Amino acid sequence: MKDLRRYLALKYIQYLVLSSSNAVSTLLGLLGSVYTVILLQSAKVSSKSTAVLISSLAQADILVFLSLVSDVVLGSFGASVSPTASALARILLTANTHVSCVLLSCVAFEAYLITFLPSESRPLRTVRNARLISRVIWTLVAAECALFLMDDHLRASGASAPSHGPLGLLFQLSSTAAALLRSLSYILGILLRIINVYIYYKIFFSMSPR
């Protein structure tokens, strides 16, 4: 459907083209996600694997809404709570960005399979597999953000954190793991941009008149 293609184009621009989010792209993304969720329910196209991935992509913007709410609600309690609100809002936005980027890449890869390997890939392009992929992505990103949150908490506690013993080792490991994961997330983001550009480049020229 044309509306879903427009929504995907908006999301690719928001997460894989723009260097950072801004108020306009965030608002358009939220409105597009609300419209897409309603459209998928009313049009009854959820039986397709691509629609399942797009639905999960639209639902990821709930995290953006929760981020805005937490920033406003917790920030209204004063300066003592505002650092917590800022950290929580940042983690929610990180989760939204990572889930959205990976789901967009899954949609692009499925488009590649449909274009070049339609019959061979049909057993893989099922609703069950799409739902499983979505759950795995959400679970991995949730674990990632939990690690980031714990690392932020440890950094905020500073001197009160133990430096020796099992707890000290645990804190050091979590800090190292969070730093490594942040570096990997940055590299993965660049790779996903390159892969998506390549996939749609191949699809575009395969569909262009020769």
Side-chain angles (χ1 to χ4, degrees):
M1 295 178 65
K2 291 183 178 180
D3 287 339
L4 293 181
R5 294 193 192 100
R6 294 192 189 101
Y7 174 69
L8 286 175
L10 171 64
K11 284 299 175 180
Y12 277 111
I13 293 172
Q14 182 181 358
Y15 292 107
L16 297 174
V17 176
L18 296 178
S19 57
S20 60
S21 61
N22 54 67
V24 175
S25 63
T26 301
L27 178 60
L28 290 176
L30 285 171
L31 294 176
S33 295
V34 171
Y35 175 73
T36 299
V37 170
I38 296 173
L39 179 66
L40 288 173
Q41 291 178 349
S42 62
K44 297 181 181 180
V45 293
S46 58
S47 59
K48 297 180 180 180
S49 58
T50 304
V52 172
L53 295 174
I54 295 175
S55 176
S56 186
L57 173 65
Q59 292 167 10
D61 270 359
I62 295 174
L63 298 174
V64 178
F65 177 75
L66 292 177
S67 171
L68 296 174
V69 171
S70 67
D71 207 7
V72 172
V73 173
L74 294 179
S76 64
F77 284 95
S80 60
V81 188
S82 59
T84 304
S86 178
L88 181 59
R90 186 174 65 254
I91 290 296
L92 289 172
L93 290 177
T94 298
N96 168 259
T97 301
H98 291 181
V99 168
S100 299
C101 287
V102 178
L103 284 172
L104 284 169
S105 298
C106 291
V107 173
F109 181 66
E110 187 170 51
Y112 180 90
L113 293 178
I114 292 172
T115 304
F116 297 103
L117 301 167
S119 57
E120 296 88 343
S121 65
R122 188 171 289 111
L124 299 175
R125 295 183 287 106
T126 63
V127 171
R128 180 181 179 182
N129 286 342
R131 288 174 178 165
L132 177 61
I133 290 171
S134 296
R135 292 193 191 102
V136 169
I137 292 171
W138 278 93
T139 302
L140 291 176
V141 172
E144 174 196 36
C145 291
L147 181 61
F148 288 161
L149 227 110
M150 183 171 66
D151 183 57
D152 288 343
H153 175 71
L154 293 176
R155 288 176 182 273
S157 61
S160 62
S163 57
H164 302 287
L167 285 178
L169 179 61
L170 178 62
F171 292 157
Q172 292 176 6
L173 286 176
S174 64
S175 179
T176 303
L180 179 61
L181 199 53
R182 285 189 173 96
S183 300
L184 289 176
S185 298
Y186 177 76
I187 296 172
L188 182 60
I190 295 175
L191 288 176
L192 289 180
R193 285 176 170 86
I194 296 173
I195 292 171
N196 277 274
V197 169
Y198 173 77
I199 287 176
Y200 283 110
Y201 170 84
K202 292 283 290 184
I203 293 174
F204 176 78
F205 281 99
S206 70
M207 299 177 66
S208 299
R210 302 174 187 271

